[in-house]
Amino acid sequence: MIKLEKGQIWRSKLHPHEDFKIYDVIVQEWDHHLTETFYCWERLNHEAFVKMVADRKRMTLDEFIKSTKTTHPFAWCGESQRNVLMNKIKKCEMELSE
């Protein structure tokens, strides 16, 4: 089983726009019982991200942001539960970077 931790960097040779780093882990508790864990992540490869948005939206990232005021549905960073990140790691054939 893969353990996700703060400071980990995950990279994909096939999908470099998906490369990310876990920069924080938030554990929510209720009455001293673990309820949920969220992993705060941010993408690492700005150039590949910009190219991916341009390819999918057929406009530059700046044009896309000006037209919508956001990068939705393409997040540069966020908070995710473990299963979401594990699905991304598997789908994009990611490897833990040392």
Side-chain angles (χ1 to χ4, degrees):
M1 182 160 119
I2 296 173
K3 185 173 182 182
L4 298 177
E5 297 178 343
K6 181 178 175 178
Q8 286 181 335
I9 294 175
W10 290 88
R11 297 192 185 276
S12 171
K13 291 179 183 173
L14 299 174
H15 307 282
H17 64 275
E18 295 288 1
D19 295 355
F20 70 92
K21 176 181 181 176
I22 298 173
Y23 67 86
D24 200 6
V25 179
I26 299 170
V27 178
Q28 293 185 338
E29 294 182 11
W30 183 257
D31 289 334
H32 305 291
H33 293 91
L34 173 68
T35 56
E36 288 187 278
T37 302
F38 294 94
Y39 298 88
C40 302
W41 57 270
E42 63 183 337
R43 292 183 196 252
L44 297 174
N45 194 329
H46 186 263
E47 184 178 313
F49 178 74
V50 168
K51 182 180 182 324
M52 179 271 301
V53 172
D55 290 347
R56 292 193 183 169
K57 289 299 183 180
R58 299 181 189 211
M59 63 179 77
T60 68
L61 179 61
D62 288 339
E63 291 170 337
F64 181 55
I65 291 171
K66 284 179 186 175
S67 71
T68 65
K69 306 288 188 250
T70 180
T71 60
H72 180 73
F74 310 111
W76 174 256
C77 59
E79 298 174 0
S80 299
Q81 292 178 319
R82 183 181 195 286
N83 65 324
V84 172
L85 290 184
M86 292 307 300
N87 287 339
K88 179 187 285 207
I89 289 168
K90 290 175 186 173
K91 178 182 174 186
C92 297
E93 299 178 26
M94 300 184 105
E95 295 179 357
L96 184 59
S97 180
E98 300 276 335

